[in-house]
Amino acid sequence: MNRRNFLYSLPAISASGVVSVSQNQSLSNVQAIATWDNQSALQGCDQVLTQNGYALDAVEAGVRVAESNPDDLSVGYGGLPDATGKISLDACVMNELLRCGSVSYVRGYAHPVSIARGVMEFTDHVMLVGDGAEAFAKKKGYERRKLETKASKQAHKEWKKGASSNNHDTIGMLALDRQDRLCGACSTSGRAFKLPGRVGDSPIIGAGLYVDGKVGAAAATGMGEQVLTTLGCFHIVELMRQGSNPQAACELAVNRIIEAFPKSADQVAFIALSRRGEAGMHARYEGFKVTILEAGHIRVIDASHTQ
Ligand code: ASP
């Protein structure tokens, strides 16, 4: 048994009795992958890739589609607001050379993913937050937009009356271009009705997104506080560096979270893409969907789950 097979088949059983990995195989020949049913966003990514474009341009273009969609209640325009009714956005990008940019708590801008890319390209910082991120966006002329919609205001009203607040997602997207450059991006309005100022996993490099162009990439969705605690995406890429395939690495990262939060009912899920185009996806609970682009075709699949 070589080292890769050994790691893949490690039957680690935690204190909580969770078996580490299933026998699910990674998918191969994947050009791009996105969390949830994000077909139009992945089409935006595909358009760049098919024109022999750069993977970073592809993921930025794809994520911008989701950020513009008011029906996506957890990303960009029409996202779910914080406890005060205001929408604040988090996003980050990372390229094949370990360069990254990130913004958090950005209000009044249409495309935080592009502002995050601007932080990477025009500053020598990685992350800008709140007023500082907005001042940077204003100076660079990024598109302003009133983010609140009728639906997001209604959701806030209902939450104040006592409706469930368990509604949040992130678009995470990973792409491999024709020159084998691997890049990733993610964007979210974060946890619905969060405390103002709350930062989740999505804009934190290593938590909500991590890319190492020589190894692979991962993106997260779900309860950000849990992903932050285990630096889930960095964990996945390091497992891949040590020989795990992307599917096994996603399962191990989910199971680490289950060990840390054994009683939690919150969903957490990961996607991963290796530099050879093998993809993995796994969630804690049933219901996680993933959109993939393979051989020029886009399809939505159900991810495996542990519990
Ligand atoms: N991970 C996001 C956050 O915690 C939300 C989600 O993906 O459900 O901000």
Side-chain angles (χ1 to χ4, degrees), residues 152-255:
S152 71
K153 285 182 192 157
Q154 185 60 27
H156 184 248
K157 257 193 207 153
E158 278 163 23
W159 172 72
K160 276 177 82 178
K161 282 193 233 145
S164 156
S165 67
N166 195 17
N167 191 351
H168 47 85
D169 289 331
T170 299
I171 181 164
M173 190 179 287
L174 311 170
L176 190 58
D177 65 26
R178 289 187 185 164
Q179 290 166 56
D180 289 335
R181 292 171 299 197
L182 181 62
C183 297
C186 65
S187 183
T188 185
S189 54
R191 269 174 74 181
F193 319 120
K194 61 195 176 186
L195 289 177
R198 179 262 186 187
V199 176
D201 60 317
S202 305
I204 304 298
I205 300 299
L209 178 75
Y210 198 72
V211 180
D212 183 329
K214 294 193 178 125
V215 178
T221 181
M223 184 52 75
E225 280 69 10
Q226 296 181 9
V227 179
L228 276 169
T229 304
T230 58
L231 285 183
C233 289
F234 183 72
H235 181 201
I236 287 171
V237 173
E238 289 309 297
L239 286 167
M240 288 162 68
R241 187 192 308 283
Q242 291 161 31
S244 276
N245 69 43
Q247 180 62 32
C250 287
E251 294 181 23
L252 287 163
V254 166
N255 293 349

Side-chain angles (χ1 to χ4, degrees), residues 87-119:
I87 296 174
S88 59
L89 304 176
D90 297 340
C92 70
V93 298
M94 192 158 185
N95 77 7
E96 77 285 7
L97 299 170
L98 295 176
R99 294 294 172 270
C100 44
S102 158
V103 289
S104 182
Y105 207 68
V106 176
R107 295 145 299 182
Y109 283 88
H111 294 295
V113 70
S114 297
I115 307 172
R117 183 170 177 176
V119 173

